[in-house]
Amino acid sequence: MRDLVFLPGFMLNESLWDDMRGDLATLGTLHFGDLGQDDSLAAMADRVLDNAPDRFVLFGFSMGGFVAQAITLKAPERVLGLGLLNTSSRAQNAQESAATLAQIALAEKAPFKGLTSRALASSLHPDRAGDAALLQRLQAMALKNGKEVFLRQLSTLRDGSYADLHRILCPALIVASDADRLRTVEESEEMAKRIPAARFEIVRDCGHMTPLEKPQELARIINEWIADAGL
């Protein structure tokens, strides 16, 4: 059976994939990367590679998608296929960098109480922004990660990899959600056009947290892509 490696997003962990595990387990052996120990994309990529099987199909969600791109560009001989979910290849802009520095300054001075209700709600479809169960699950992952991971992940400089995406030659799956308020469909389209063997899918009526909001649909898309790509 094939090996599949999954990378979570900002202040998330392997619980992100809980609702998909049963479906994903039919595809192979599941491995979950740890993105909480390092403060750079390069170091995160190295840690994942150090702990991953020799060859694997790689999936990165949101921040994990940036790490997945770095892994694929660094060790293309090990990545059989690449799934980029609700992510981007754009570099961090000046406004984002300034906001991040302000967040770090505040976080360093105060006890960590998790992510704000506004931040949590913005990650979901507007119609589910008040879904208490989903919000609680997201907050539980953030609290489990804690303040040190929060600061490390905030400090991660996102350089962007758009200029190098043409060097990714393995089959790729790019997934966007039509109501994602954190990553736009256009950002996913950019990647799909740049990567030679890319398949582009849009999940409808879904916010940023596709693995939690539409787990069965995302699992179906992944299953079909793996079969069609011959992975």
Side-chain angles (χ1 to χ4, degrees):
M1 289 290 283
R2 65 183 68 83
D3 288 292
L4 302 97
V5 175
F6 293 87
L7 309 180
F10 177 74
M11 290 305 284
L12 301 171
N13 56 36
E14 66 181 68
S15 296
L16 173 69
W17 313 101
D18 281 356
D19 295 346
M20 301 175 63
R21 284 198 192 213
D23 291 325
L24 295 175
T26 66
L27 299 174
T29 303
L30 309 184
H31 307 265
F32 301 95
D34 181 3
L35 306 185
Q37 306 305 310
D38 304 288
D39 60 4
S40 74
L41 294 179
M44 290 176 183
D46 286 341
R47 185 179 297 273
V48 172
L49 284 167
D50 286 345
N51 291 282
D54 288 340
R55 303 188 77 196
F56 51 91
V57 182
L58 177 63
F59 296 90
F61 171 79
S62 195
M63 186 190 76
F66 286 91
V67 181
Q69 292 167 63
I71 290 170
T72 308
L73 290 166
K74 182 181 182 69
E77 72 284 355
R78 295 181 61 184
V79 181
L80 301 173
L82 173 65
L84 298 174
L85 317 175
N86 298 88
T87 189
S88 175
S89 61
R90 293 182 183 178
Q92 195 167 356
N93 61 39
Q95 183 178 359
E96 290 172 328
S97 297
T100 296
L101 290 174
Q103 277 188 290
I104 291 172
L106 287 173
E108 287 176 336
K109 298 175 183 177
F112 182 68
K113 298 180 180 179
L115 300 180
T116 66
S117 56
R118 180 179 179 181
L120 293 170
S122 68
S123 71
L124 300 173
H125 188 286
D127 291 344
R128 303 191 72 177
D131 187 323
L134 268 182
L135 294 170
Q136 186 175 25
R137 290 176 68 182
L138 292 170
Q139 189 68 282
M141 285 186 266
L143 289 170
K144 186 173 182 178
N145 279 317
K147 181 175 180 176
E148 294 306 313
V149 172
F150 183 67
L151 290 171
R152 279 195 289 268
Q153 292 189 344
L154 274 180
S155 300
T156 302
L157 178 63
R158 197 176 70 238
D159 294 327
S161 57
Y162 177 78
D164 295 314
L165 291 182
H166 67 284
R167 297 200 287 113
I168 296 177
L169 302 179
C170 66
L173 171 67
I174 316 294
V175 177
S177 300
D178 64 351
D180 189 336
R181 291 182 280 175
L182 302 183
R183 288 294 166 202
T184 66
V185 172
E186 288 73 23
E187 288 173 275
S188 292
E189 286 177 328
E190 288 174 355
M191 294 187 292
K193 290 176 181 177
R194 188 75 168 170
I195 298 174
R199 174 170 174 167
F200 181 47
E201 299 278 354
I202 298 177
V203 179
R204 304 292 176 183
D205 300 316
C206 185
H208 184 66
M209 292 294 169
T210 311
L212 295 176
E213 296 181 62
K214 297 274 187 170
Q216 284 75 36
E217 184 171 351
L218 181 56
R220 175 189 59 79
I221 290 170
I222 289 172
N223 195 329
E224 292 177 356
W225 170 65
I226 284 178
D228 293 344
L231 295 171

